[in-house]
Amino acid sequence: MVLKIAAFAVALTICGPAFAMESSVGSLKVSLIADGFDQPWSVEPLPDGAILVSERGGALTFLRRDGHRTNVSGVPKVVDRGQGGLLDIMIPRDFAKNREVYLSYSNIDGDSYGTALGRGKLSKDGSKLINFRRIFQQARGNTDAKHFGSRIVEAKDGNIFLTIGERGQRKQAQNLGNHNGTVVRLQRSGAAVSDNPFIGQSAQPEIYSYGHRNPQGAALDLNGNLYVVEHGARGGDEVNKIKAGANYGWPVISYGTHYSGLKIGEGTSKAGMKQPEHYWDPSIAPSGMMIYSGKLWPQWRGDIFVGSLKFDMISRLDGKSLAEERLSSTETGRVRDVVEGPNGEIWFLSVEDGALYEITK
């Protein structure tokens, strides 16, 4: 595929063709920012107007304001197998001060695969990550190459949330002795936060919540509360509001069924296990998640946007009623990530097109 990159000004300027997308707030424009990516997984804007894009195979791309593309060196070696590879990017709020970049990825730890988190400093020209090192490793990985998660979110207090899938081992999502099917909460060093709910118990000290299947989207709401979106099996994709120490039920409760059609666990509810804020049946295969500020579309303030890998659309959930609107165009093929751009525009990654797009008025 031939690479196309839009030119940048002080704010991002789109030079590619614009396409139409109909919505509840009128007709929207979808414009190409860049294409030529192979399995793009995460996109993050930088404070100076540049952009980072990860590809599952292990490439990290720096898109500069003058339109040039740089392959970033110093990226960790990843396990590019199954659903594994280079996954999420997180740019902390103080990036301008220390230029730290956080990456999640699947790696080999001994004789097993696991989800890892690392950080390094991005050089000023965007060409390399300096002194990148792993700061967290999933305990008790396995040889399955699926359900790694994984999204990274900076909390309001500067600590870090990382989502980890149950790695295809369903029962392990209820085992606090490992990290399978959890949200972990870490200091920026990678150490557990001292007030995590399971500190001092016979559990992994980083665990913040558990009972998750494969959370591939995560975001803070406008009040700083963490939400995650996770894959169900056959039906039962969920949006969950995360509480410290809470059990979200997988695989004991679910609104889906096994792919064989058999019942999962004990039903849809059980005492001591959290209910989802919203679920989809049939599954939409959710991935990246964003909760919108309302900067460009005030009507959508606080709404949840989730990319769908199955129905080629972006699911918008009203922030109060959770009523759904499905935003689609010819460009929304297997949407892997959705983020808010610096001026309130909505950016999304299309796996089908290998491209980054922008939605504007």
Side-chain angles (χ1 to χ4, degrees):
M1 183 180 291
V2 177
L3 175 70
K4 302 175 186 176
I5 301 177
F8 291 83
V10 175
L12 187 65
T13 301
I14 305 299
C15 295
F19 308 92
M21 173 186 284
E22 298 307 315
S23 79
S24 59
V25 294
S27 184
L28 309 175
K29 290 193 299 184
V30 180
S31 303
L32 176 70
I33 296 177
D35 69 2
F37 300 109
D38 182 15
Q39 295 289 323
W41 219 93
S42 177
V43 56
E44 279 293 309
L46 298 172
D48 63 359
I51 303 172
L52 286 176
V53 177
S54 68
E55 299 173 54
R56 202 179 67 192
L60 182 66
T61 298
F62 178 75
L63 302 179
R64 299 192 313 207
R65 290 194 303 186
D66 60 8
H68 290 290
R69 169 181 178 142
T70 302
N71 292 323
V72 182
S73 65
V75 177
K77 184 178 180 180
V78 305
V79 174
D80 178 19
R81 181 170 178 264
Q83 296 173 0
L86 182 59
L87 304 175
D88 204 21
I89 308 166
M90 191 276 282
I91 305 299
R93 290 184 292 273
D94 63 356
F95 173 83
K97 177 182 177 182
N98 56 34
R99 300 192 65 83
E100 284 187 341
V101 174
Y102 288 76
L103 301 175
S104 65
Y105 54 101
S106 60
N107 73 334
I108 296 176
D109 183 43
D111 59 356
S112 65
Y113 307 137
T115 300
L117 176 69
R119 69 177 182 187
K121 292 192 175 185
L122 185 68
S123 62
K124 288 190 176 180
D125 65 359
S127 67
K128 60 184 175 181
L129 282 179
I130 302 167
N131 296 327
F132 186 90
R133 66 184 184 91
R134 186 181 67 187
I135 60 173
F136 171 82
Q137 174 67 49
Q138 174 195 351
R140 301 182 187 176
N142 56 55
T143 56
D144 289 337
K146 60 184 178 182
H147 298 185
F148 291 94
S150 141
R151 294 290 173 182
I152 318 164
V153 175
E154 183 183 21
K156 286 185 70 175
D157 62 6
N159 289 313
I160 296 170
F161 293 111
L162 173 70
T163 70
I164 303 173
E166 37 80 296
R167 306 298 319 292
Q169 296 186 327
R170 294 189 294 268
K171 292 182 180 179
Q172 294 305 311
Q174 293 294 316
N175 179 3
L176 292 170
N178 59 42
H179 294 119
N180 296 42
T182 63
V183 174
V184 299
R185 180 170 172 248
L186 308 166
Q187 300 176 49
R188 289 179 65 153
S189 65
V193 180
S194 60
D195 63 350
N196 279 357
F198 301 106
I199 291 283
Q201 301 182 30
S202 57
Q204 296 295 331
E206 301 86 2
I207 294 176
Y208 192 75
S209 67
Y210 66 108
H212 302 284
R213 185 173 184 265
N214 190 22
Q216 285 197 346
L220 298 182
D221 71 7
L222 303 186
N223 295 314
N225 300 303
L226 179 67
Y227 282 74
V228 304
V229 62
E230 55 191 279
H231 289 257
R234 184 178 175 184
D237 298 340
E238 297 181 353
V239 174
N240 285 304
K241 184 177 182 179
I242 302 303
K243 299 290 187 182
N247 182 352
Y248 289 84
W250 179 258
V252 181
I253 60 172
S254 175
Y255 283 89
T257 62
H258 292 298
Y259 295 111
S260 64
L262 294 176
K263 177 183 174 182
I264 293 174
E266 300 177 18
T268 58
S269 64
K270 185 174 182 177
M273 296 184 176
K274 288 286 187 181
Q275 285 290 297
E277 302 294 308
H278 177 83
Y279 71 90
W280 289 271
D281 189 11
S283 294
I284 67 166
S287 194
M289 178 187 200
M290 176 268 287
I291 299 179
Y292 189 61
S293 72
K295 190 172 184 179
L296 199 58
W297 295 280
Q299 309 96 311
W300 286 349
R301 178 176 169 81
D303 289 1
I304 298 169
F305 290 76
V306 177
S308 169
L309 295 165
K310 181 177 180 181
F311 291 127
D312 297 340
M313 56 91 180
I314 299 170
S315 173
R316 181 187 68 83
L317 302 176
D318 182 274
K320 295 180 180 178
S321 69
L322 295 179
E324 184 183 37
E325 176 182 19
R326 297 192 168 191
L327 303 171
S328 65
S329 68
T330 56
E331 294 69 49
T332 54
R334 288 181 53 80
V335 176
R336 174 62 77 180
D337 201 11
V338 184
V339 303
E340 182 172 343
N343 300 306
E345 62 271 48
I346 296 172
W347 294 352
F348 68 91
L349 287 174
S350 166
V351 177
E352 188 171 286
D353 292 353
L356 171 62
Y357 292 101
E358 175 185 74
I359 303 173
T360 56
K361 289 186 175 181

